[in-house]
Amino acid sequence: MKKVLIVGGVAGGATAAARLRRLDERAEIILFERGAYISFANCGLPYHIGGTIARRESLLLQTPESFRQRFNVDVRIHNEVLSIDCTAKTVCVQNKLTGGTYLEDYDKLLLAPGGAPIKPPVEGIHSECVFTLRDMEDADRIKCHIQKFNPKSAAVIGGGFIGVEMAENLKNANLNVSIVELSSQVIAPLDIDMVCDVHHRLREKGIALHLSNGLRKITKRGNALILELSNGSLEADMVILAIGINPESKLAKDAGLDVNERGGIIVDGHMHTSDPDIYAVGDAVEVMDLIAEEVAMIPLAGPANKQARIAADNICRIPSEYTGTQGSAVIKVFDMTVAFTGVNEKNAKRLGLRYDKVFLWHSGHASYYPGSKFLSMKVLFEKESGKILGTQLVGFDGVDKRCDVLAVAIRAGMTAYDLSRLELCYAPPYSSAKDPVNIAGYVIENVLTGRVKNFHWHDVDYLPRDGSVILLDVRDPQEVAYGKADGFINIPLDSLRNRIGELDRAKPVYALCHSGMRSYVATRILIQNGFDAYTLSGGYRLYSSATVP
């Protein structure tokens, strides 16, 4: 009978323990958790604070007692593993309630310590009104503070997943909320042309954005906190630090296990560390980026659970391998949904990939069925093969399911031609007969075959205005009245055939419309009439969103 110790009782640790028991009824399994809770839904914590998840107990997926009863796992909460002796194959454990320590031996050891919120070395950061959010205790402190002191305003430092989710939920709790973000955007995996709609929506919902701004100092003034920023200052009644996490790898490092320069525990595809009897999973481990084919730190719940299952399989001598992370994620921003998977354009450039891109704006379901709203989609693909490399979607209707389909496409190595052939579910309340995923395939296929040549939103302002090219807006006049790009003449699409003689065939034509659909039709007309024509991918809507404050 083998003895397995597990350090950490949330996503990775609890998943591994349950899988181990299902595979081996006779193994001795001990799970150590230094906190008071195991297997809680940490991704739901912001929504409990905001009141969407009203019952705190809903977040407690398993208690130590229920886990013991169902899986026969020795769960030891309030027990922290202090050190590992790899030679003796023992761990030193401290009971946090009594202060006493003891040794526990093992045959196999699995580390699932997660990550710790980053606290920058800023004066005033340890104020009782400054909070981080990692576990149930943190959520309790924030919720208790709001109920007890009734703060009117909050500053969220950091615009990542937790930062944006906390901003929404604090706003739902009737606080005035600001986000302070060091970079020029929130949600770093999005490219700027996709995150611009998110910025607009946050502002529409009353969130103040302080972008390209860092926290320098926090000073208590009466009941308020004064935040000194790198550009200006801000007053708030409470502060949430959501800058990111560092891997909790000190235990592994002190034991002599290999870690990378960021502290991530180095593991192979079987989740082995540099010690053959020690495994590691979750936010603390280094992973292989599926597209970039380079090591990375990608702290997501889905990969953590998969890694835990794989580690448990290998402990039980079932060959199983983790093949990489592609960074699939989705986030709710009030009534908007943001999702992405694969490589973004920033990283595609950094990696030197031979890529191209298309932008689409499409209804989430049949436009004639009530409630249809649009989604914006960006898809990156290999220039030669059309292989899908990454996608980003922002919108209101069906964003998550389209991103899931494209995540599968990326994992399977599919091309744009494959997307156009996919047979996806259709009924008016759910989709269109040509799903946005199919449309993406058609659009990329047109680019690959040379039927369409694109230009992009960031090219518009650099096109010559000296008469050497024709800048053509094929929208209707009433649309143009609401906003237009400088230098573009207006010939509505439905008039183009009759007015084509007004255009000089010797000059390239750059056409735009609202979303890119009508300009695509216009360029097909023009190309077949002897013009060298280009269409604005994503249309004027994307151009104005990305460039107009």
Side-chain angles (χ1 to χ4, degrees), residues 22-297:
R22 292 195 298 271
L23 294 174
D24 188 343
E25 183 63 23
R26 294 188 297 171
E28 182 182 0
I29 306 169
I30 305 175
L31 187 152
F32 300 101
E33 170 55 50
R34 66 186 176 191
Y37 305 95
I38 65 161
S39 193
F40 60 87
N42 50 1
C43 294
L45 295 177
Y47 301 99
H48 174 55
I49 292 169
T52 300
I53 301 174
R55 294 181 63 252
R56 182 179 184 275
E57 293 74 19
S58 300
L59 299 174
L60 301 175
L61 308 179
Q62 291 278 357
T63 65
E65 294 74 22
S66 67
F67 207 73
R68 286 190 193 101
Q69 184 173 358
R70 177 162 296 180
F71 296 109
N72 190 26
V73 171
D74 182 357
V75 178
R76 302 181 187 179
I77 59 173
H78 300 299
N79 275 248
E80 181 176 7
V81 176
L82 302 178
S83 63
I84 305 168
D85 186 331
C86 298
T87 303
K89 297 181 70 172
T90 61
V91 298
C92 179
V93 186
Q94 182 182 50
N95 185 313
K96 304 292 285 185
L97 299 179
T98 67
T101 61
Y102 60 95
L103 295 179
E104 197 72 57
D105 66 304
Y106 64 85
D107 295 312
K108 301 292 181 182
L109 174 64
L110 189 146
L111 305 178
I118 295 172
K119 276 193 170 185
V122 170
E123 183 180 341
I125 204 76
H126 299 294
S127 165
E128 67 276 8
C129 298
V130 177
F131 304 89
T132 58
L133 181 62
R134 180 192 185 188
D135 51 31
M136 291 293 298
E137 290 90 340
D138 289 340
D140 290 342
R141 279 190 286 270
I142 294 170
K143 200 165 180 67
C144 179
H145 181 84
I146 293 172
Q147 293 170 345
K148 184 176 180 180
F149 296 102
N150 193 28
K152 303 301 181 186
S153 61
V156 178
I157 313 300
F161 278 33
I162 297 298
V164 170
E165 289 173 346
M166 280 302 302
E168 173 186 343
N169 282 283
L170 289 170
K171 186 69 178 178
N172 289 342
N174 298 316
L175 278 76
N176 293 318
V177 182
S178 302
I179 294 177
V180 178
E181 169 55 49
L182 188 60
S183 77
S184 60
Q185 66 171 82
V186 300
I187 313 178
L190 289 180
D191 292 320
I192 190 63
D193 38 38
M194 298 302 289
V195 82
C196 54
D197 283 348
V198 181
H199 290 166
H200 297 325
R201 199 62 177 172
L202 286 169
R203 290 181 174 118
E204 287 172 358
K205 292 295 185 179
I207 306 297
L209 298 182
H210 300 264
L211 305 175
S212 302
N213 226 327
L215 177 64
R216 295 286 181 82
K217 182 180 179 181
I218 300 176
T219 305
K220 190 77 180 288
R221 184 182 297 170
N223 293 324
L225 299 174
I226 307 300
L227 280 63
E228 181 182 317
L229 309 178
S230 53
N231 181 21
S233 62
L234 176 66
E235 182 175 322
D237 296 329
M238 62 183 297
V239 171
I240 306 293
L241 297 177
I243 300 169
I245 64 170
N246 283 324
E248 286 255 41
S249 58
K250 185 177 185 301
L251 186 65
K253 187 176 181 180
D254 290 348
L257 303 180
D258 292 344
V259 299
N260 64 23
E261 60 184 14
R262 291 182 57 189
I265 303 170
I266 297 175
V267 295
D268 63 14
H270 304 291
M271 310 315 298
H272 277 121
T273 67
S274 53
D275 185 304
D277 293 316
I278 303 178
Y279 298 75
V281 301
D283 293 353
V285 307
E286 174 186 272
V287 297
M288 180 63 67
D289 186 300
L290 182 71
I291 308 300
E293 296 183 343
E294 63 182 11
V295 294
M297 301 292 294

Side-chain angles (χ1 to χ4, degrees), residues 290-312:
L290 182 71
I291 308 300
E293 296 183 343
E294 63 182 11
V295 294
M297 301 292 294
I298 305 177
L300 293 169
N305 279 273
K306 293 175 181 65
Q307 293 160 11
R309 181 184 176 92
I310 288 165

Side-chain angles (χ1 to χ4, degrees), residues 14 197 292 316 359 374 380 431-432:
D197 283 348
C316 293
F359 297 91
F374 280 82
L380 273 64
S431 183
S432 301

Side-chain angles (χ1 to χ4, degrees), residues 120 265 268 320 389 393 420 423 437:
I265 303 170
D268 63 14
S320 187
L389 299 174
L393 298 97
S420 67
E423 185 176 337
V437 173

